Amino acid sequence: MARIGIFDSGVGGLTVHRAILERFPGLDTVYLGDTARLPYGTKSADVVTHYSLRNARFLSSRGIDLLVVACNTASALALPALRAALRIPVLGVVEPGARAAARATRGDRIGVIGTQSTISSGAYQQAIAAARPGAAVTARPCPLFVPLAEEGWTDPEDEVVRLVARRYLAPFLEARVDTLVLGCTHYPLLREAIGRELPGVALVDSADAIATEVAGLVGAPATGRVASHQFFVTDTPERFLAVAGRFLGRTVTGAEHVDV
Ligand code: DGL
């Protein structure tokens, strides 16, 4: 049975973990949240690559068959280095997300939101151009969505959530995008609030998009199998455990501290 390694800068990658397990509850997973070094979204390519390689080496030492880079920032900045360093397949969220957007668009006007480093890397913009040449791409960072999601402030009726979403998303209304990529692990939690500001716009969840591609690589495990899920963090586990349930959709009962 395939064992999948998943890493993120912290807790957000659990949205990817959740999307994968919704399709294949029988898969074994090893998750690493680099909580000691987050956020990645404001850091340089060199630093994010350095951290990503350490995370990948740790997960490889746990005997994984496939590495999923759940963090959009790490996927945008470190994928070539990870692929060069590992002997197993490495999947990032950017390409699946871009391909899903290329399939979803009806008017060739695609928006992307992500962290500062993801957007300034141009990775989504390039991947969309490759998947859908000729599409107009509008890309903007939405950094405050990350702490809002971690704080649990995701209710679309909440005044703060509405104001932040309106301000960040106004350029996409102006650009008349018909599709928007949620290019950050935390944004699926704000899906409803984002959707309200952009009525009629197709929202592409990069977590869902990568889950579909994982399915193609590993195949379906036997049904009824009891899977094993291990969680590791680089800072003490308390904060991770307190927030994890919101991202994973169920309680995480234990996480082990590791130095990577
Ligand atoms: N996981 C990051 C991402 O998807 C968001 C949080 C961070 O900045 O570390 O880009």
Side-chain angles (χ1 to χ4, degrees):
M1 176 47 45
R3 191 176 161 87
I4 299 187
I6 304 170
F7 84 79
D8 178 49
S9 53
V11 75
L14 293 174
T15 57
V16 174
H17 192 291
R18 176 185 191 159
I20 292 171
L21 289 188
E22 268 166 13
R23 279 178 182 67
F24 294 123
L27 281 179
D28 292 338
T29 58
V30 189
Y31 182 94
L32 172 65
D34 191 12
T35 46
R37 300 184 182 84
L38 65 80
Y40 282 12
T42 49
K43 295 197 167 73
S44 68
D46 280 356
V47 166
V48 171
T49 302
H50 179 66
Y51 294 164
S52 298
L53 286 169
R54 285 159 59 150
N55 297 339
R57 282 191 198 112
F58 169 76
L59 288 171
S60 296
S61 76
R62 314 291 303 187
I64 56 167
D65 306 294
L66 167 69
L67 177 68
V68 170
V69 184
C71 180
N72 285 254
T73 307
S75 298
L77 301 175
L79 209 60
L82 288 166
R83 285 190 170 142
L86 300 191
R87 291 215 186 94
I88 53 169
V90 180
L91 273 185
V93 276
V94 172
E95 285 163 6
R99 282 195 282 269
R103 286 192 299 274
T105 187
R106 295 288 166 261
D108 278 333
R109 290 177 173 275
I110 299 174
V112 184
I113 53 177
T115 65
Q116 187 68 58
S117 299
T118 296
I119 299 303
S120 51
S121 76
Y124 266 110
Q125 295 90 319
Q126 282 159 30
I128 292 169
R132 187 93 186 175
V137 181
T138 305
R140 294 277 188 284
C142 301
L144 291 179
F145 282 167
V146 169
L148 282 180
E150 291 202 8
E151 198 64 24
W153 292 13
T154 53
D155 182 351
E157 301 291 346
D158 183 295
E159 199 184 348
V160 174
V161 175
R162 259 197 354 245
L163 287 174
V164 173
R166 185 154 304 165
R167 182 138 170 192
Y168 277 146
L169 300 172
F172 297 97
L173 270 183
E174 215 165 284
R176 290 180 290 112
V177 302
D178 63 81
T179 301
L180 180 76
V181 182
L182 309 182
C184 173
T185 48
H186 290 58
Y187 299 175
L189 273 73
L190 287 150
R191 190 184 178 107
E192 228 187 303
I194 293 167
R196 282 210 193 176
E197 295 305 318
L198 299 174
V201 171
L203 300 183
V204 171
D205 181 344
S206 56
D208 271 341
I210 197 171
T212 309
E213 302 211 2
V214 167
L217 274 173
V218 299
T223 49
R225 185 176 177 276
V226 179
S228 115
H229 306 299
Q230 296 174 306
F231 297 92
F232 294 93
V233 285
T234 54
D235 196 354
T236 51
E238 287 73 25
R239 160 104 185 136
F240 177 84
L241 291 175
V243 184
R246 216 177 290 137
F247 287 77
L248 191 62
R250 60 193 158 102
T251 311
V252 179
T253 47
E256 200 179 310
H257 174 259
V258 278
D259 261 327
V260 300

